Amino acid sequence: MPRRPHDLHGAAPDESRTALLLIDVINDLDFPGGDRLLAHALPMAHRIRALKQRCRDAGIPAVYVNDNFGRWQSNFHRQIEHCLEEGVRGREIAALLRPGEDDYFVLKPKHSGFYGTTLEILLESLGAQTLLLTGMAGNICVLFTANDAYMRDYRLLVPSDCVASETEEDNGHALRQMQRFLKADITPSDELDLERLPA
């Protein structure tokens, strides 16, 4: 049954049955294990950037789903500015994946992008039924978001080269879990045929 969009009185200007989610990519990585995650996340960021451009060309909107880092006064633009400062561990990733003016964002208080956020209402307003999940960490926030998306009957694509965790073992395990139990397509991003996704 098609989802019935909320009347948002000025709803999302885009309409697309597919949405690209970038999970926690604006991140200073200032935590234990941040160096290990950076080693895997930087190559990932280059691939997400290329995928995001292809999605933009195909009319697929991008939604940044970002942690509020425990600060309930969080301002996403302030977070971007912080992550772009000299000496910040996640600076290069933030520079590669800096949001554009037409991108959407949702701040989350916990691991899942759906928990305590407006993400579901936004996706319904867009008319999205298929989600492309990218970001970090693959075995934590991407996995938790994928679980909640699956329970909401979204079709999931999790390009295996566009998620990163602190170790390749953890990342591979999370991808296998999403593929097996959440029916996620984990085809690498450069092999995805975006033209075949529902627009």
Side-chain angles (χ1 to χ4, degrees), residues 23-175:
I23 300 169
D24 286 341
V25 298
I26 306 301
N27 194 324
D28 60 15
L29 300 178
D30 186 18
F31 50 79
D35 281 326
R36 291 192 301 275
L37 181 54
L38 177 62
H40 301 288
L42 190 51
M44 170 208 72
H46 285 278
R47 293 187 287 266
I48 293 177
R49 181 176 180 172
L51 177 61
K52 184 185 175 193
Q53 184 58 55
R54 289 177 57 212
C55 284
R56 183 178 181 85
D57 293 342
I60 296 171
V63 182
Y64 285 74
V65 182
N66 223 87
D67 203 320
N68 71 13
F69 295 98
R71 300 178 187 89
W72 289 94
Q73 299 86 11
S74 289
N75 177 304
F76 188 48
H77 298 289
R78 193 176 306 140
Q79 179 66 18
I80 296 167
E81 291 171 6
H82 163 67
C83 289
L84 291 171
E85 292 173 357
E86 288 286 344
V88 172
R89 186 180 285 152
R91 181 174 187 239
E92 194 170 352
I93 294 171
L96 283 166
L97 297 176
R98 184 190 313 216
E101 291 184 5
D102 296 333
D103 295 332
Y104 300 93
F105 73 88
V106 171
L107 288 176
K108 62 186 179 70
K110 291 275 191 179
H111 307 87
S112 170
F114 288 91
Y115 180 79
T117 77
T118 57
L119 178 60
E120 188 168 10
I121 295 174
L122 170 59
L123 294 174
E124 288 184 4
S125 181
L126 291 169
Q129 298 171 0
T130 297
L131 303 181
L132 273 162
L133 301 185
T134 66
M136 56 190 176
N139 63 327
I140 306 174
C141 295
V142 176
L143 177 60
F144 280 60
T145 301
N147 282 328
D148 281 355
Y150 178 74
M151 289 191 290
R152 288 163 172 78
D153 296 320
Y154 288 100
R155 176 189 175 204
L156 300 179
L157 288 85
V158 186
S160 58
D161 59 338
C162 288
V163 294
S165 305
E166 286 186 29
T167 70
E168 290 185 9
E169 181 181 9
D170 285 344
N171 208 56
H173 179 70
L175 284 165

